[in-house]
Amino acid sequence: VGSIRVSGTDVPIHEQLLAAIPDDKKGQQLTRSLQPEGFVDFAFCCAWKDLSQHAPITTLDIRLKDCRIKFDKFPYPLQHVQGMVTATDWHWELEDIEARGANDSTVMKCHGVANPAHGDGGSDVELNIDAWDVPLDDTMKVALPPPCQQAWEDLRPQGRIDFSGHALKPAGSDEPTIEVVLKPRPKTVSLEPRMFPYRLEQMEGSVVYQKAQ
C-alpha cells in the first residue's frame, strides 16, 4: 500500500517525453499525431490502495502552457494552446483547451475523451471543436482533405467563418465519423464559382460537411 509521484514544471515537449507515454492504449500514438511543441506542467501518480490490487491506479495531469499543435489529420496550425489533459487509468480527457489560429483573432476551443476499448488495445475517441473568426485563406485550404480542396478551387471563397466540428472514432474503425458545420461571419464571405464567374457577396446560411465511416 503506497504511491509513487512524479511531477515537473515548465517541461519542454521533446522526444524523450513523448517516448515515455505508454503506447499500449494508443496514448503515445494520439499525442504524436498532434505534433505538439511547447512546455507543460505535469503530475503523475501510481497508487496501490490494498495488497490485492493487480495493477496500480494511475493518474496523469498535464497542463499545456503556450503550446503549438498541428494535427496530422487536419494540419491547421494552432498556437498559444492552453488547458488541461488528464488521464485516469489511461482514460483521457481534454478539459478547457483553448487556442489561437495563425492570427490572434481566431479562437478555438476543444474538449474530448478517449477511453480504452477491450480487446484490441485501441480507444474510443470523441472530439468536439468550436472556432470563431477563422479566415478563409491558404492556411485553411491546405489543411483540408483533397475533395474539399477541389470544392474550394471550384467556389473560390473569401472572408471569415465560424465553425463547429464533431468527430467520433470507435476503437475498431480506421477512420472517424466527422460532422462540421460552417457559418459565415456577418457580411464577410464571398464566392466566385468557376462555373459561373460572378462574385456573390455577403453570403449567409450554413454549410454542413459529413464524412461517415
Side-chain angles (χ1 to χ4, degrees):
V1 179
S3 63
I4 299 173
R5 300 176 184 273
V6 181
S7 63
T9 303
D10 292 330
V11 179
I13 300 173
H14 48 52
E15 174 57 32
Q16 294 92 329
L17 182 64
L18 296 176
I21 299 173
D23 204 29
D24 56 342
K25 303 299 183 183
K26 306 298 184 182
Q28 184 182 137
Q29 178 180 321
L30 176 61
T31 304
R32 288 184 181 278
S33 72
L34 298 174
Q35 304 180 62
E37 300 177 8
F39 294 85
V40 300
D41 297 342
F42 76 91
F44 175 75
C45 178
C46 285
W48 291 262
K49 295 189 175 181
D50 62 68
L51 296 176
S52 63
Q53 266 184 249
H54 296 294
I57 299 170
T58 61
T59 59
L60 175 62
D61 296 331
I62 302 172
R63 180 171 294 281
L64 307 176
K65 304 175 73 175
D66 198 23
C67 295
R68 295 173 299 282
I69 288 175
K70 188 161 67 172
F71 184 37
D72 61 5
K73 301 296 185 182
F74 179 62
Y76 186 83
L78 299 178
Q79 58 186 354
H80 306 310
V81 182
Q82 303 181 68
M84 287 292 297
V85 181
T86 64
T88 302
D89 288 336
W90 309 117
H91 292 254
W92 294 85
E93 184 171 0
L94 304 178
E95 302 177 6
D96 300 323
I97 304 296
E98 184 170 325
R100 302 284 174 169
N103 59 74
D104 284 342
S105 66
T106 300
V107 179
M108 293 192 181
K109 295 187 177 182
C110 171
H111 64 275
V113 295
N115 294 312
H118 298 292
D120 68 352
S123 293
D124 297 319
V125 179
E126 185 171 8
L127 189 65
N128 292 280
I129 298 175
D130 294 289
W132 297 269
D133 203 12
V134 181
L136 295 171
D137 56 13
D138 286 343
T139 302
M140 171 62 74
K141 177 184 173 183
V142 299
L144 297 172
C148 294
Q149 291 190 33
Q150 183 57 55
W152 187 297
E153 290 286 350
D154 293 338
L155 296 175
R156 296 186 287 189
Q158 295 182 13
R160 309 182 79 84
I161 60 168
D162 300 335
F163 76 81
S164 60
H166 176 252
L168 183 65
K169 182 181 179 299
S173 301
D174 293 329
E175 296 294 333
T177 299
I178 298 172
E179 180 175 281
V180 179
V181 179
L182 311 174
K183 294 184 177 181
R185 301 283 287 182
K187 299 182 179 181
T188 68
V189 172
S190 66
L191 301 176
E192 191 174 348
R194 286 188 181 277
M195 66 181 67
F196 182 66
Y198 181 82
R199 188 178 180 86
L200 306 172
E201 298 186 344
Q202 300 185 20
M203 302 294 296
E204 298 181 356
S206 62
V207 176
V208 179
Y209 168 78
Q210 293 179 319
K211 177 183 177 183
Q213 298 177 24

